[in-house]
Amino acid sequence: MNLLRCLLVLSLFLLGGCDNRKSDDVIIFGTSADYPPFEFYQDGQVVGFEIDLANAIANDLGKRAEFKDMPFSSILLALAKGQIDVALASMTPTKEREEHCAFTKTYYRSVVGVVYKKGSAVPDLKGSDDVTVACQLGTVQEDWVKRNCRAKRISIDNVASSVEHLKTKHVDGIVVDGIVAVALCKENPALAWTVVATLDESGTAMGLKNKSRLVEKIDAVLDKLENSGVLAQLKEKWGLKDLVQSTEGEEPAK
Ligand code: ARG
C-alpha cells in the first residue's frame, strides 16, 4: 500500500515536472478569438491585428508565439494560474483589472458601439426597458450597460453567438468595441452600428502577471514597432481606424 502511494506521489511529481510549457522560447498568449479585427477565425486559423502584433513581438524577443483560445471571461484566471503568459484580447486596462495584473502600454483606443439590424431603429439602450441588448461576459461593455442602461441585458460568452442572437431577433443590439462593430457590419451587410459612448477606460493593451519582467520587454518592442511604422502598418492592414478622433462631435457612423 505504501509502495503504491509512493509510486502515485512519484508519478504526480514526474507529471508536474513534465509540464514544460514554460519552455523559454515560447510565449503563450491567451486570447478570445471572437473579436474581429483584433483576433478571430478565418479559414480555421486564428488571425487578426493582435495576432500579428504578438507574432512581431515574440519574434523581436527571439521567441515563438503560441495562442490559446478561450472565453474572454476566463483569460485573467488562466493568467493567474500560469496557464498563459500574456492576456491578448483587446483588453482594456481598467483599475479593477490592474489590481490583478500588469498591463503593457496601450496601442489602441476604442469607443463603445451598438450593432443593430439595418432598417430597425437604433436601440434606445439608456432610455427604454423595452429593448434587450447582448454584451460579452466580463467586458467593460457589460459593465457600461449595467451602469448606464435601462435596456434588458444578456451577457454572452462569445461575440459570434451574440451576432446570431441579433440576426434571429433574440436581442435588439450588441454592445461591443466600436471597431469590432465596424468589422461585424462589414461581415454582415444586414447590420449597422452607431457609437454609444466614449469611456475614460478605453485603451487596448496586453495583460501580464504582476511583476512580470516581460512587461518592460514588450513595451520596448511596442516602442520600436511604433517608431519604425510597423504598428501603423498593422493597424492599416486590419482597418483599425481611430474612432475616438473621428467620431467626436460628429454624427454617429452607420
Ligand atoms: N475591450 C473590452 C474589455 O476589455 C472587450 C474585449 C473583448 N475581447 C475579446 N477578444 N472578445 O473588456
Side-chain angles (χ1 to χ4, degrees):
M1 186 60 196
N2 260 351
L3 180 67
L4 204 65
R5 194 172 291 162
C6 278
L7 281 175
L8 188 70
V9 170
L10 186 67
S11 59
L12 283 177
F13 176 78
L14 285 176
L15 272 179
C18 285
D19 178 14
N20 61 351
R21 67 146 228 82
K22 276 277 164 216
S23 129
D24 269 355
D25 52 359
V26 176
I27 303 178
I28 303 182
F29 292 89
T31 195
S32 173
D34 60 354
Y35 222 56
F38 293 98
E39 46 268 331
F40 59 105
Y41 279 91
Q42 199 169 64
D43 305 324
Q45 291 271 95
V46 179
V47 297
F49 166 72
E50 283 187 311
I51 304 301
D52 280 359
L53 189 59
N55 277 318
I57 289 170
N59 193 36
D60 191 277
L61 296 173
K63 295 179 192 282
R64 189 168 57 78
E66 211 174 279
F67 301 96
K68 272 194 190 173
D69 186 21
M70 60 189 76
F72 182 78
S73 56
S74 311
I75 292 179
L76 290 183
L77 189 64
L79 184 69
K81 284 185 172 172
Q83 293 164 345
I84 58 172
D85 301 307
V86 182
L88 176 86
S90 178
M91 195 174 273
T92 306
T94 62
K95 288 212 172 60
E96 207 183 321
R97 288 176 182 156
E98 270 165 357
E99 284 173 19
H100 308 285
C101 63
F103 282 98
T104 63
K105 291 164 179 281
T106 56
Y107 39 81
Y108 183 67
R109 227 188 122 197
S110 194
V111 295
V112 182
V114 65
V115 182
Y116 58 97
K117 274 193 134 180
K118 238 183 217 168
S120 312
V122 179
D124 178 11
L125 306 182
K126 289 190 177 173
S128 167
D129 54 11
D130 219 26
V131 295
T132 306
V133 73
C135 44
Q136 190 170 31
L137 194 65
T139 59
V140 296
Q141 288 77 25
E142 182 192 43
D143 193 52
W144 179 81
V145 173
K146 272 186 200 165
R147 287 175 199 269
N148 298 285
C149 300
R150 287 183 64 206
K152 292 186 200 70
R153 172 180 48 81
I154 304 184
S155 296
I156 294 178
D157 236 348
N158 187 287
V159 173
S161 61
S162 64
V163 173
E164 292 315 308
H165 283 287
L166 179 60
K167 284 185 182 163
T168 52
K169 294 197 177 155
H170 283 121
V171 296
D172 304 294
I174 314 171
V175 181
V176 281
D177 278 299
I179 201 70
V180 175
V182 172
L184 294 179
C185 291
K186 212 164 154 196
E187 259 169 50
N188 303 279
L191 304 181
W193 81 284
T194 189
V195 178
V196 286
T198 304
L199 306 180
D200 292 340
E201 291 183 325
S202 60
T204 297
M206 298 181 194
L208 290 93
K209 263 195 168 171
N210 274 326
K211 302 200 180 106
S212 165
R213 276 178 293 160
L214 203 50
V215 178
E216 276 168 40
K217 291 184 187 168
I218 293 182
D219 276 349
V221 183
L222 282 171
D223 279 346
K224 231 198 251 184
L225 296 175
E226 185 166 4
N227 296 334
S228 62
V230 172
L231 190 62
Q233 278 166 18
L234 288 182
K235 287 185 181 176
E236 171 91 37
K237 170 178 171 190
W238 294 103
L240 248 72
K241 287 180 276 196
D242 187 345
L243 294 177
V244 178
Q245 295 298 326
S246 68
T247 53
E248 259 166 8
E250 287 177 19
E251 277 293 295
K254 285 283 182 288

